[in-house]
Amino acid sequence: MLKAPTPEVDTGEALPLLDVRDLTVEFQTRRGTVQAVKHVNISLAKGETLGIVGESGSGKSVTSYAVMRILDRAGRIADGSVRFSNLDLRQIDESEMRDLRGREMSMIFQSPRLALNPIRKIGHQIEDVLLQHAQADAAAAADKAVEMLEQVRIARPRERYHAYPFELSGGMCQRVVIALALACRPQLLIADEPTTGLDVTTQKAVMDLVVELTRERGMSTILITHDLGLAAAYCDKVIVMEKGNVVETAKAETIFRNPMHPYTRKLMRATPRPGITLRELLPDEDALRAGAIGAATAKADAPLLKVEKLVKEYPRQGAASSLSRLFKSGPTPEGEVFRAVDGISFEIARGESVGLVGESGCGKSTTSMMLMRLIDKTSGTISFDGEDIGAIPAKDFATLPQRRRIQMVFQDPTDSLNPRFTAARAIADPLLRLSDISRHSLRGRVEELATQVGLPLDLLDRFPHQLSGGQKARVGIARAIALKPDLVVLDEPTAALDVSVQAVVLNLLQDLKDKLGMSYLFVSHDLNVVRLLCDRVIVMKSGQIVEQGLTARVMDAPQAEYTRDLLAAIPHPPI
Amino acid sequence: MLATLGKRLLTVIPTLIGVIIVTFLLTRVLPGDPAVYFAGPAATPDSIAEIRKGLGLDKPLPEQFVRYVGDLAHGNFGNSLSTGRPVATEIASRLPASAELTLLGLFVSLVIAVPLGILAAVKQGSWIDHTCRVVATAGVSLPVFFTGLLLVYAFYYQLGWAPAPLGRLDAFASAPPQINGFYLIDSLVTGNFEVFRSALSQLILPVATLAIFSLAPIARMTRASMLAVLASEFVRTARASGLDTRTVIITYAFRNAMLPVVTTLGMVFSFLLGANVLVEKVFAWPGIGSYAVEALLQSDFAPVQGFVLTMAVLYVVLNLVIDILYGVIDPRVRLEG
Amino acid sequence: MTDTLNAIPPVTEKPALSATPAQPKPEHNSMLRHARYVMSENPVTGLAFFLFALIAVCALIGPYIVPHDPLASDTASALQAPSWKHWFGTDQLGRDILSRVVVATRLDFIIAITSVALVFAMGGLAGIAAGYFGGWTDRIVSRLSDTIMAFPLFVLAMGIVAALGNTVTNIVIATAIINFPLYVRVARAEANVRREAGFVQAARLSGNGDARILLGHILPNIMPIMMVQISLTMGYAILNAAGLSFIGLGVKPPTPEWGIMVAEGAANIISGEWWIALFPGAALMLAVFTFNLLGDGLRDLVDPQRRT
């Protein structure tokens, strides 16, 4: 068993806790050896918090796996050294390494629910770690585990000790994972995208908790994230990675104010934040080329879309067994239904762009599906250009002429393209079904649309898997505007994209709106993005609208408590 | 837990109703006169008419069904044409022979296949892994009756290690007094080790045949689901927390990996009960499978119908047991129902 | 076109697969490349394709290339061990086993193919409809499939053949019926996942009706997985048919068929004449093995992630 390395007497110039030199990680793939991390240097002092920032494929996670030596089978450390408290982690054998993991250095992951054993009580999972590292004997382990749950602010810890992961929310699961990681009081915590997929208020709670607990224990932390704002808000030092290389290392305060490397500059610029315009997300030369944003604003005549007292109910799961449902008929009694959308009313004017924001489960997606006439409402009206389209059953709506006027851009560009259709075929699909365009003018129109969305024409004959995320997003947008709709619902259209691609797509959407005079309903969880694109914003919580109004007004002087919470939860980088 | 169990028991009812309807229909919607089938090939028009009346075939279909269900409720499966004996008695007396064979076969294959699958997944790419893959692919390709014959040729004819493939006991041993009809257990309980030895040596080859047959799907599934679980995020978390290999593999990976394997067991049972018929024929095993095959060849339909129904009910019960087992392992099923 | 929209730079990141804008590669090309990769990674798949070709040839022209008449008995040369004259030996009636094994390929192949085609049409379509529409369609199809699944499948096949009558056609029908739930399950699950997929929603927004979505969008995406299923159940269908004829159902002697030939040789095993049962049994095994390997190979080709 390895002795816990004792910290050196503080001489001011103490050895770094973690010292990574020249780290190179290789993966064996079918295309040969790929270097995922190239000659990376990291130095982390005791008690320091370091952010590693990069877009997907930058090698930021692989770096941390290499430090922990938990690379999967295909990967290996090809070169460099990793020293932890003066121990050479490349030299020690696996059993020594195992002793270090969890006791001296631990890790929390993204998707907390998946990170826990689904069929083991969370209390037992914490005990496993405590017992493994001899931090408690069998008798005391249970109490220690409950104590850990208490420390990560889980209410009724003694009860929750017996809970299984599926009985807890995502945020709670992440707290359990943190408890697991901190149970043995390690010196180093690596957090790999710990809040991705969590709501912004949960993200703040989790991050604050991590900071508090690690500070309390004098731990060093590495925060791996794609969100430059998050890293700058919570870290002392930030490392920016691109394609396996470290391009910049700087103090958190300086990286926003004075980014040195062009890539950092681009990344920083592309991060949506208060006080800038859409064009400022783009690199200078592109912003110049794009010109000024058009001045098209909402027209004051009758609203294009008017929603009144819209309700959507779902039968509550498990409330009635399938057997009793089989024998019973008639309306579902009260209490057995769940109101996903609970009597909301709002309007969208012609040419207006309205943001619909809220956290997961607030009913914003259900609302957009109803407006799109993909699902039926329970009650209320949806008037589109004076006609109550809510009264038309969703299954009949697909082939009606009104279908042309309301279109949608989906969240996941990969999922929303048929894998067997080329880009051209995907864009042509609505034209073939809902317009009387002739066969020979079809290709011309598809190319025109591709040009409009900035998709190179030579990509039109590719299949989705041969396109990048940004290119797929463009195909999805071209398809949505192909029929010149009046209203486009944008369902988190950039959530799956890297931030630099998001900047480009947001600008594209803005320009298309101005040019084609469409109205947008922009569904999003990201207030900073909504601020950039929308004239007005609607805030939803638990199926109801808590606040709506002009974007600037709602953002700068929120009336509702909940809106204030949401705004406060956005990480504020030190600028 | 009890409520979940009760709910699960309730779901068996529609399945059982479905099974009874199908076995009923098998005899009634034939492209011909069921009475002719029931009467057998040597029947006269008079005897056919008599059987038709006796079976109630002149009545409307729903009434026939009610009568059929009533008969079943009284344990009346009809009489065999060739032996004249009640089908129910015959099946009841032969069932232990089939059950002993099938369960032992499954047991042996589980004992071999599960560890093999786990080892193959843990040591991916090693010789154990390759063995597992060869066994899995070759195993599912082997016709079970062919395996049986090969084993008989090798171990009886060539090596002389196994007794002749002729039933449950050799000619000199007599059956132990019946307690539950499993010769191995009955003979042990009565302390008759001579019979135990004889019964065991007769069992080895047919059990091996069934085990080889069911080995493949279990090993394959164990390996695949173990690989999936080992690549999962919670195993990565367990590793990153420094848990030792044994805890990671057994407490974390194995219990999760067992879930799909338990589900596969249902399919394996389905195959096993079918394969059992073929193995009984090869080894002249006096079980319900060989009873059904003999009756089939003589167009004696009542035993076949009784056999199909018995097998289906057995299978429904086995699936119920598997479901309950699944609930025991997986809290999500147990607690949410 | 000189409007401002063009000025927005095209996204320059690399696509997921290697195809770069400089050298666009058409789809079939990358499919071929993938096929070549799968072959080189797993030469066994190559072997499977070779064996499949061999079986297909035997099925097509078997009767014209065999050395002896598979039905001609010659009691003088009964029960001869394999020799230069009779490579696989002769049976109780002196018939040439090699000829019988080769000629039998066609019958076994036809039984398997027709039953699989039948169940693919019925089970595949029923499953897709059940998965896509849900509701009553799903309830009826699932109930039907559950009821079939409630029986041990081979036992049910025995019951069906016994009830419908002891003919080859009924073996085909019984084999199709017992495979029905397998096809329903796969097709239903695949259609169900895709029902809520973004591209199906998008197709609905583009004005596609249910029928067009089902046949034009969902079916083509499910086909590869169904092909794997077809290959795997071909092997199972052959085993099942052979099992039925082994216990004396369906095929009647003297017709050469692998299952019945093994049954004929079974009695001779305990007296040491191994070749009568061995060669048809081995042929049977090889055929099933081929389809299983082929299924695995196709799965690799179709779905590299789900490799086991």
Side-chain angles (χ1 to χ4, degrees):
Chain A
M1 187 117 155
L2 224 75
K3 271 265 179 263
T6 42
E8 311 256 313
V9 184
D10 192 17
T11 55
E13 267 305 301
L15 275 172
L17 178 71
L18 180 72
D19 190 19
V20 176
R21 291 270 162 89
D22 219 20
L23 178 70
T24 300
V25 180
E26 289 178 351
F27 278 85
Q28 300 296 331
T29 71
R30 58 166 71 177
R31 290 174 203 290
T33 309
V34 174
Q35 288 197 341
V37 173
K38 300 166 198 157
H39 308 287
V40 162
N41 296 309
I42 296 172
S43 169
L44 178 67
K46 206 163 161 39
E48 194 178 28
T49 303
L50 170 76
I52 303 183
V53 181
E55 297 184 295
S56 47
S58 62
K60 55 189 192 299
S61 293
V62 173
T63 306
S64 64
Y65 294 170
V67 168
M68 294 284 284
R69 276 185 35 188
I70 51 169
L71 288 168
D72 55 320
R73 224 173 274 274
R76 66 178 199 95
I77 299 176
D79 199 8
S81 73
V82 181
R83 301 186 74 83
F84 176 79
S85 264
N86 229 357
L87 267 171
D88 188 341
L89 297 190
R90 280 193 72 190
Q91 298 304 320
I92 62 175
D93 63 30
E94 179 57 27
S95 71
E96 288 173 309
M97 193 63 217
R98 198 159 54 222
D99 272 342
L100 286 180
R101 285 188 213 121
R103 192 170 56 108
E104 298 299 334
M105 50 204 295
S106 48
M107 193 156 179
I108 55 183
F109 300 93
Q110 58 172 303
S111 45
R113 203 183 291 280
L114 297 179
L116 293 169
N117 186 343
I119 59 171
R120 192 162 174 79
K121 291 178 177 174
I122 57 166
H124 292 170
Q125 298 191 42
I126 298 175
E127 275 175 29
D128 286 340
V129 181
L130 288 169
L131 295 172
Q132 175 74 42
H133 298 295
Q135 299 287 311
D137 55 20
D143 287 332
K144 192 105 195 269
V146 172
E147 191 188 307
M148 276 319 295
L149 289 175
E150 210 169 350
Q151 284 185 19
V152 294
R153 312 276 150 68
I154 285 185
R156 293 176 285 131
R158 215 156 270 286
E159 217 172 290
R160 292 280 159 69
Y161 172 93
H162 296 285
Y164 292 96
F166 75 94
E167 299 174 290
L168 305 177
S169 69
M172 287 233 265
C173 282
Q174 191 58 293
R175 283 159 198 270
V176 175
V177 175
I178 293 170
L180 210 68
L182 299 187
C184 299
R185 299 190 151 261
Q187 303 189 59
L188 170 65
L189 176 71
I190 301 178
D192 183 8
E193 303 265 12
T195 57
T196 305
L198 297 180
D199 282 323
V200 56
T201 49
T202 319
Q203 159 168 308
K204 182 170 164 49
V206 166
M207 282 313 298
D208 289 349
L209 180 71
V210 169
V211 168
E212 188 193 320
L213 293 176
T214 51
R215 203 159 283 164
E216 224 168 58
R217 291 162 162 76
M219 292 169 58
S220 308
T221 311
I222 297 179
L223 172 67
I224 296 163
T225 178
H226 64 280
D227 186 345
L228 195 53
L230 187 75
Y234 286 98
C235 301
D236 306 319
K237 199 164 77 179
V238 175
I239 285 181
V240 180
M241 287 186 73
E242 186 199 13
K243 294 178 189 143
N245 296 301
V246 171
V247 296
E248 183 159 1
T249 307
K251 289 219 177 305
E253 309 94 73
T254 51
I255 201 143
F256 255 90
R257 218 175 299 139
N258 189 19
M260 302 303 288
H261 192 274
Y263 178 75
T264 319
R265 269 204 291 273
K266 184 178 155 209
L267 202 61
M268 194 226 81
R269 283 193 73 130
T271 306
R273 57 202 183 275
I276 57 151
T277 66
L278 266 178
R279 286 291 186 258
E280 287 174 82
L281 293 177
L282 298 174
D284 282 331
E285 59 276 22
D286 294 337
L288 261 174
R289 240 189 305 159
I293 286 175
T297 40
K299 297 180 187 67
D301 54 356
L304 177 67
L305 181 83
K306 189 169 179 184
V307 174
E308 279 178 304
K309 298 198 181 67
L310 190 61
V311 171
K312 177 69 186 179
E313 290 177 339
Y314 287 107
R316 204 177 278 282
Q317 281 204 329
S321 78
S322 56
L323 212 71
S324 68
R325 224 178 286 146
L326 219 113
F327 294 126
K328 251 184 274 170
S329 57
T332 347
E334 201 60 36
E336 288 193 4
V337 294
F338 162 69
R339 283 202 165 184
V341 174
D342 192 2
I344 61 169
S345 307
F346 64 90
E347 292 176 359
I348 298 177
R350 280 169 210 279
E352 191 184 27
S353 167
V354 175
L356 182 61
V357 298
E359 298 187 295
S360 52
C362 73
K364 57 184 195 297
S365 298
T366 313
T367 306
S368 69
M369 296 292 263
M370 278 191 285
L371 301 187
M372 289 311 302
R373 305 304 307 120
L374 283 171
I375 55 173
D376 285 316
K377 62 179 180 157
T378 305
S379 66
T381 55
I382 305 169
S383 333
F384 181 77
D385 208 5
E387 185 192 0
D388 182 11
I389 57 165
I392 307 168
K395 65 175 167 53
D396 299 335
F397 200 80
T399 45
L400 294 181
Q402 288 96 320
R403 177 76 286 165
R404 307 178 50 159
R405 304 184 58 193
I406 314 176
Q407 289 292 319
M408 184 166 184
V409 177
F410 291 86
Q411 174 169 7
D412 183 347
T414 307
D415 176 62
S416 63
L417 294 180
N418 188 335
R420 312 236 126 215
F421 279 10
T422 60
R425 178 70 184 79
I427 299 173
D429 202 37
L431 295 169
L432 286 169
R433 299 290 155 254
L434 289 171
S435 76
D436 37 21
I437 195 164
S438 65
R439 279 269 162 195
H440 73 267
S441 52
L442 183 66
R443 181 73 191 189
R445 173 76 182 127
V446 167
E447 290 185 354
E448 190 186 333
L449 284 162
T451 315
Q452 274 190 335
V453 298
L455 183 74
L457 295 186
D458 57 331
L459 299 184
L460 276 176
D461 293 313
R462 295 230 188 138
F463 287 88
H465 71 268
Q466 298 166 312
L467 298 172
S468 73
Q471 290 161 349
K472 279 184 275 198
R474 286 169 196 260
V475 175
I477 294 169
R479 177 176 59 189
I481 62 167
L483 295 165
K484 301 193 177 121
D486 296 312
L487 173 67
V488 177
V489 173
L490 305 161
D491 182 13
E492 307 248 14
T494 59
L497 301 176
D498 275 332
V499 56
S500 54
V501 184
Q502 163 174 291
V504 177
V505 170
L506 288 176
N507 273 285
L508 170 67
L509 287 168
Q510 175 69 42
D511 291 337
L512 286 171
K513 181 176 92 82
D514 293 342
K515 179 156 182 278
L516 304 174
M518 300 176 288
S519 301
Y520 281 167
L521 179 69
F522 188 89
V523 181
S524 179
H525 68 281
D526 191 335
L527 289 162
N528 277 334
V529 171
V530 170
R531 188 198 295 265
L532 287 168
L533 194 69
C534 300
D535 306 321
R536 275 195 312 125
V537 60
I538 299 170
V539 183
M540 276 186 82
K541 190 195 179 199
S542 319
Q544 293 174 328
I545 293 179
V546 296
E547 180 163 12
Q548 56 178 316
L550 292 174
T551 308
R553 206 276 294 148
V554 173
M555 295 283 180
D556 298 332
Q559 304 293 306
E561 174 85 45
Y562 180 68
T563 316
R564 278 198 287 274
D565 289 347
L566 273 184
L567 286 164
I570 303 173
H572 293 288
I575 302 180
Chain B
M1 180 75 202
L2 270 181
T4 321
L5 200 68
K7 236 184 259 171
R8 185 62 190 82
L9 277 173
L10 279 182
T11 61
V12 169
I13 294 172
T15 316
L16 278 181
I17 294 174
V19 162
I20 292 173
I21 292 176
V22 171
T23 37
F24 170 74
L25 288 182
L26 274 184
T27 57
R28 297 316 199 269
V29 262
L30 310 179
D33 190 342
V36 178
Y37 283 86
F38 274 91
T44 61
D46 281 352
S47 68
I48 290 174
E50 195 181 320
I51 282 171
R52 178 173 296 126
K53 209 160 178 306
L55 289 171
L57 289 174
D58 47 347
K59 306 261 172 29
L61 215 59
E63 202 182 321
Q64 290 183 38
F65 182 66
V66 172
R67 193 184 146 132
Y68 175 69
V69 174
D71 282 349
L72 290 184
H74 290 99
N76 180 5
F77 285 25
N79 291 333
S80 160
L81 189 79
S82 42
T83 64
R85 292 183 54 194
V87 171
T89 341
E90 190 82 12
I91 285 182
S93 72
R94 282 165 168 263
L95 192 57
S98 299
E100 186 172 36
L101 183 60
T102 312
L103 292 177
L104 210 58
L106 182 72
F107 175 75
V108 171
S109 76
L110 275 179
V111 164
I112 298 171
V114 171
L116 183 65
I118 293 174
L119 277 178
V122 172
K123 300 192 184 304
Q124 198 189 354
S126 70
W127 65 268
I128 294 183
D129 188 22
H130 293 305
T131 314
C132 180
R133 278 160 64 178
V134 170
V135 165
T137 318
V140 284
S141 311
L142 272 173
V144 64
F145 49 90
F146 185 54
T147 330
L149 289 175
L150 287 184
L151 289 181
V152 167
Y153 180 74
F155 293 100
Y156 166 71
Y157 180 79
Q158 285 292 342
L159 300 170
W161 295 352
L166 296 166
R168 300 178 79 183
L169 292 172
D170 62 54
F172 308 106
S174 55
Q178 178 149 0
I179 297 166
N180 59 13
F182 286 32
Y183 281 5
L184 287 185
I185 298 176
D186 288 352
S187 58
L188 271 188
V189 169
T190 53
N192 193 339
F193 295 107
E194 201 52 40
V195 174
F196 179 79
R197 239 178 48 89
S198 167
L200 187 63
S201 60
Q202 292 286 343
L203 265 170
I204 287 173
L205 284 191
V207 162
T209 311
L210 281 179
I212 291 171
F213 174 74
S214 53
L215 202 70
I218 301 175
R220 193 188 175 96
M221 197 66 207
T222 309
R223 176 178 178 274
S225 85
M226 201 62 192
L227 275 179
V229 172
L230 283 176
S232 73
E233 305 207 7
F234 66 85
V235 166
R236 193 176 58 185
T237 312
R239 287 216 168 108
S241 324
L243 297 188
D244 61 44
T245 318
R246 227 186 106 245
T247 318
V248 170
I249 288 177
I250 294 176
T251 318
Y252 282 71
F254 174 68
R255 276 191 56 202
N256 279 285
M258 271 305 98
L259 293 171
V261 176
V262 168
T263 315
T264 315
L265 274 189
M267 212 56 221
V268 170
F269 259 121
S270 172
F271 290 151
L272 261 183
L273 292 177
N276 191 52
V277 176
L278 300 168
V279 172
E280 283 184 12
K281 181 168 155 68
V282 171
F283 291 92
W285 200 259
I288 57 174
S290 52
Y291 175 57
V293 170
E294 280 161 32
L296 255 183
L297 298 181
Q298 293 161 10
S299 298
D300 183 0
F301 202 77
V304 179
Q305 195 183 20
F307 162 75
V308 173
L309 185 66
T310 312
M311 287 298 234
V313 171
L314 265 182
Y315 184 52
V316 170
V317 172
L318 285 171
N319 271 326
L320 181 66
V321 172
I322 287 170
D323 261 23
I324 293 169
L325 194 66
Y326 195 98
V328 169
I329 306 178
D330 192 343
R332 286 164 292 192
V333 176
R334 184 168 69 224
L335 299 173
E336 290 194 325
Chain C
M1 289 188 70
T2 53
D3 60 21
T4 55
L5 295 167
N6 284 333
I8 291 174
V11 183
T12 47
E13 4 137 28
K14 290 270 165 17
L17 284 180
S18 76
T20 52
Q23 29 176 199
K25 289 194 175 86
E27 163 79 340
H28 63 270
N29 213 343
S30 84
M31 201 61 203
L32 261 182
R33 198 147 33 91
H34 185 60
R36 214 177 310 131
Y37 166 75
V38 169
M39 293 274 198
S40 65
E41 181 82 333
N42 190 357
V44 179
T45 308
L47 176 74
F49 278 105
F50 170 74
L51 287 174
F52 176 74
L54 187 74
I55 294 172
V57 166
C58 284
L60 281 174
I61 56 168
Y64 311 108
I65 55 168
V66 292
H68 298 88
D69 178 355
L71 297 178
S73 54
D74 173 15
T75 34
S77 55
L79 291 179
Q80 280 182 2
S83 64
W84 278 115
K85 187 158 180 264
H86 299 284
W87 289 3
F88 287 2
T90 60
D91 65 7
Q92 304 88 331
L93 298 176
R95 295 173 296 195
D96 179 50
I97 291 177
L98 171 65
S99 305
R100 288 176 66 77
V101 166
V102 171
V103 170
T105 314
R106 181 182 286 184
L107 181 58
D108 281 87
F109 210 56
I110 286 176
I111 292 176
I113 283 186
T114 41
S115 66
V116 166
L118 201 63
V119 69
F120 173 69
M122 294 189 315
L125 283 182
I128 293 177
Y132 179 73
F133 291 111
W136 279 107
T137 321
D138 186 21
R139 243 168 278 172
I140 291 169
V141 171
S142 298
R143 186 84 284 180
L144 188 65
S145 140
D146 283 353
T147 305
I148 295 174
M149 286 288 276
F151 291 88
L153 295 180
F154 185 75
V155 171
L156 182 64
M158 282 170 66
I160 293 170
V161 176
L164 294 184
N166 200 347
T167 65
V168 174
T169 318
N170 290 336
I171 287 211
V172 170
I173 293 173
T175 307
I177 290 178
I178 64 169
N179 273 318
F180 181 80
L182 303 180
Y183 279 76
V184 166
R185 193 164 50 181
V186 172
R188 180 179 174 278
E190 297 294 335
N192 201 19
V193 188
R194 285 173 177 77
R195 177 166 73 158
E196 298 303 328
F199 75 86
V200 171
Q201 303 272 29
R204 228 167 265 153
L205 295 186
S206 304
N208 293 277
D210 279 334
R212 210 182 271 277
I213 289 179
L214 209 55
L215 299 176
H217 289 259
I218 293 185
L219 187 64
N221 277 292
I222 294 182
M223 270 317 278
I225 295 161
M226 295 303 280
M227 284 306 294
V228 174
Q229 184 72 12
I230 285 177
S231 180
L232 290 177
T233 39
M234 276 287 281
Y236 182 53
I238 293 179
L239 268 187
N240 186 69
L244 288 174
S245 51
F246 179 78
I247 58 173
L249 288 177
V251 186
K252 303 263 186 329
T255 315
E257 191 277 339
W258 294 331
I260 207 166
M261 287 170 73
V262 176
E264 284 164 357
N268 297 80
I269 278 281
I270 43 176
S271 49
E273 285 102 10
W274 49 271
W275 57 90
I276 307 175
L278 180 86
F279 289 108
L284 183 55
M285 202 185 85
L286 200 67
V288 181
F289 189 63
T290 303
F291 283 111
N292 283 335
L293 283 185
L294 214 55
D296 285 351
L298 283 178
R299 189 190 345 242
D300 285 4
L301 215 58
V302 165
D303 182 5
Q305 276 118 36
R306 218 187 294 173
R307 277 222 288 265
T308 52

